[in-house]
Amino acid sequence: SDLFPSHDKYGMDSNYTALHWFGQALLAERQLRFADANTYLDSINQAFPGHSLSDDILFVKARIKMSQSEFSQAVTLLETLAVAFNFDILADNAWYMLGNLYEYRLNNPEKALACYQTIIEKYSSSVFLVDARREFRRLRGDKNN
């Protein structure tokens, strides 16, 4: 009695199956059914290792950990994403979330500062650039933020 049908039984395209499971994971996350969401996410990694959703999976898993107040586990997932997928679209998101976690949840302003600095130095086109600069200056103690 699996949570979802096996892709083998239906002869479905693997991309469709992975995307379908990912959609189901997002729905389960939204409904606060975190165990189900993680089951779908883990199944994608198991059935389709190295799939292009790998970075998205880490990101959603980190969000789930944050929702469960498991901040150090969220940090591990986000650090993995930020380093392993530093070229990908979610890398700057991961750095910004890390900065916020370190600053507001883990009381580690030095690490937060380093995360914001990474965005400033390596992700000049990031939508988080303005916020990262503001947070960086504030943490550094600049008078005119």
Side-chain angles (χ1 to χ4, degrees), residues 75-143:
V75 163
T76 301
L77 291 162
L78 289 169
E79 285 177 344
T80 300
L81 169 57
V83 172
F85 297 93
N86 64 6
F87 53 87
D88 219 322
I89 195 164
L90 290 174
D92 60 325
N93 298 57
W95 283 114
Y96 191 74
M97 285 176 76
L98 276 167
N100 278 271
L101 276 171
Y102 280 127
E103 183 176 359
Y104 298 109
R105 298 294 184 181
L106 300 171
N107 196 25
N108 193 332
E110 296 82 20
K111 283 195 174 188
L113 193 70
C115 292
Y116 298 136
Q117 185 172 4
T118 299
I119 294 171
I120 294 165
E121 292 176 355
K122 296 186 179 177
Y123 300 94
S124 60
S125 62
S126 171
V127 296
F128 298 105
L129 184 61
V130 171
D131 293 331
R133 278 192 181 128
R134 183 189 63 240
E135 295 295 322
F136 180 82
R137 289 181 187 129
R138 190 179 53 70
L139 284 171
R140 200 174 55 184
D142 289 3
K143 300 268 189 248

Side-chain angles (χ1 to χ4, degrees), residues 27-44:
L27 176 62
E29 177 197 16
R30 184 80 172 198
Q31 296 172 335
L32 307 181
R33 294 183 298 116
F34 298 132
D36 290 347
N38 277 313
T39 298
Y40 279 112
L41 297 171
D42 291 341
S43 295
I44 296 167

Side-chain angles (χ1 to χ4, degrees), residues 4-70:
F4 43 87
S6 168
H7 65 284
D8 295 333
K9 295 178 187 168
Y10 298 98
M12 289 185 206
D13 173 280
S14 64
N15 218 15
Y16 170 84
T17 303
L19 286 171
H20 176 73
W21 290 353
F22 188 72
Q24 293 298 311
L26 293 177
L27 176 62
E29 177 197 16
R30 184 80 172 198
Q31 296 172 335
L32 307 181
R33 294 183 298 116
F34 298 132
D36 290 347
N38 277 313
T39 298
Y40 279 112
L41 297 171
D42 291 341
S43 295
I44 296 167
N45 280 336
Q46 229 173 1
F48 311 104
H51 194 278
S52 62
L53 287 170
S54 297
D55 58 330
D56 299 271
I57 290 168
L58 286 168
F59 195 72
V60 174
K61 283 178 157 284
R63 273 197 324 237
I64 290 170
K65 291 299 181 189
M66 289 169 58
S67 296
Q68 297 172 316
S69 297
E70 295 176 5

